[in-house]
Amino acid sequence: MSATSAIIVGASSMLSKEIARQLSAEGVALALLAHDAESIREFAEELPAPAKVYDFTIEDPQILIPQLEAVWREMTDVRLILVNTGLNSYHPELPWALEQEIIEVDVRGFAAVCNTAFRLFQKQGVGQIAAINSIAGLRGGPSVAFHAAKAFAQNYLEGLSMHAQRLKLPITITDIQLGLLDKAALQRSRLWLSPVDEVARQVVDALLKGKRRVYVTKRWRLVAWLTKLLPEYIYNTRHWKKKKSKEVSSTEQH
Ligand SMILES: NC(=O)c1ccc[n+]([C@@H]2O[C@H](COP(=O)([O-])OP(=O)(O)OC[C@H]3O[C@@H](n4cnc5c(N)ncnc54)[C@H](OP(=O)(O)O)[C@@H]3O)[C@@H](O)[C@H]2O)c1
């Protein structure tokens, strides 16, 4: 990426803000699209390079697509569109309303942003589409729609990359496979959790190098490799020994 301007879709999260900070420090002008643009206005004003904020609605592609096109028209020389939207939730009863919401944001909204970005870069003749994805997409999981949506995202990006290659277009597609940082935070795992500025640094590094796929942080590559390798009868029974039953059996032994 040799960006003079970039668009970040889903710019309100802590990680998005840190990425924005680091890109801005490189002199990249930014358009920051957020659910509630007002909530990040002050942050944008403090960035070293010019940054504007815009509202966007990911739930409805009929609104989202013209919104993204309008932002594009206001910017000059956009070289990167970074998609960092995501919705994840777990409920043991799997209520459809929740599944539907995840699919709307992580599948339909995601595809609408990437499709529009590709079309805009195709017209321009050059560009980079990057998405913060998750290693959760490598296998199914109990957050059923979320895992499936991340698999969709991975395939969608691979398809776009193939499409660009066939059209002989210099459009780079970067799939940033983030580790399960939320889970690591919940389990207070120092080994697997990294400070947000380090996570953002590795993301920005991958963007600048125009990588096709990268694991962030790097050590999650090992988890990804193991996740893909495990046969389902092991993958699916990882948690069969519940902590409680372990405690019971150890007290029984004493
Ligand atoms: N955090 C992790 O541990 C982790 C791990 C692996 C992968 N990931 C993936 O990495 C990406 C970024 O994650 P993150 O932790 O930086 O942020 P996040 O909390 O997952 O949210 C990402 C962004 O999506 C936006 N968003 C969610 N629902 C929306 C909706 N209905 N309309 C508009 N915007 C919506 C959020 O905006 P608002 O907050 O304004 O609603 C936020 O800016 C996601 O795709 C996530 O799945 C995260």
Side-chain angles (χ1 to χ4, degrees):
M1 184 195 70
S2 58
T4 49
S5 321
I7 299 175
I8 301 182
V9 184
S12 58
S13 81
M14 208 160 64
L15 177 58
S16 290
K17 283 182 178 169
E18 190 51 42
I19 294 170
R21 214 174 267 128
Q22 295 188 18
L23 287 175
S24 186
E26 296 282 330
V28 179
L30 295 169
L32 304 173
L33 276 62
H35 211 188
D36 172 14
E38 261 330 292
S39 69
I40 55 165
R41 187 174 296 283
E42 212 178 306
F43 163 78
E45 283 167 1
E46 284 167 5
L47 291 172
K52 283 188 184 170
V53 297
Y54 301 87
D55 281 315
F56 87 106
T57 312
I58 200 159
E59 294 91 344
D60 185 352
Q62 305 310 321
I63 303 175
L64 170 67
I65 293 168
Q67 274 175 336
L68 192 54
E69 289 169 341
V71 173
W72 174 274
R73 283 193 298 273
E74 275 195 36
M75 307 280 292
T76 48
D77 205 12
V78 177
R79 294 301 175 98
L80 166 72
I81 297 182
L82 173 65
V83 192
N84 193 32
T85 47
L87 189 60
N88 185 11
S89 196
Y90 171 72
H91 192 295
E93 284 167 19
L94 285 185
W96 171 245
L98 210 56
E99 297 282 90
Q100 179 172 313
E101 210 184 336
I102 292 172
I103 293 165
E104 277 169 4
V105 174
D106 295 1
V107 177
R108 195 175 62 179
F110 175 85
V113 174
C114 293
N115 172 281
T116 308
F118 192 92
R119 190 166 36 77
L120 294 169
F121 284 137
Q122 184 172 3
K123 252 192 231 161
Q124 179 173 267
V126 65
Q128 180 177 20
I129 302 171
I132 313 274
N133 202 2
S134 171
I135 65 163
L138 297 174
R139 300 290 290 257
S143 298
V144 182
F146 178 73
H147 281 254
K150 293 301 174 185
F152 173 89
Q154 182 176 323
N155 268 272
Y156 200 89
L157 294 169
E158 190 168 15
L160 285 181
S161 177
M162 195 178 274
H163 191 52
Q165 221 163 27
R166 293 204 172 158
L167 296 178
K168 297 192 175 21
L169 279 170
I171 299 177
T172 307
I173 309 290
T174 303
D175 182 354
I176 294 151
Q177 294 268 319
L178 216 59
L180 306 175
L181 304 179
D182 280 344
K183 205 169 168 184
L186 269 178
Q187 295 177 348
R188 297 191 188 160
S189 162
R190 280 203 189 164
L191 177 65
W192 296 106
L193 193 63
S194 302
V196 70
D197 57 337
E198 175 56 20
V199 175
R201 194 196 61 72
Q202 291 191 22
V203 171
V204 171
D205 187 53
L207 296 176
L208 293 170
K209 288 180 176 154
K211 294 255 171 133
R212 169 68 194 89
R213 182 174 299 131
V214 68
Y215 295 95
V216 174
T217 57
K218 291 193 175 93
R219 62 188 62 162
W220 285 92
R221 171 185 280 275
L222 176 68
V223 179
W225 177 74
L226 273 173
T227 303
K228 283 189 274 188
L229 207 69
L230 286 179
E232 193 170 339
Y233 70 91
I234 298 177
Y235 175 76
N236 200 8
T237 52
R238 279 181 307 172
H239 304 298
W240 68 275
K241 252 192 182 177
K242 286 185 184 151
K243 275 193 180 149
K244 208 175 169 191
S245 59
K246 262 203 260 175
E247 280 162 19
V248 171
S249 58
S250 65
T251 43
E252 276 168 358
Q253 280 167 12
H254 289 119

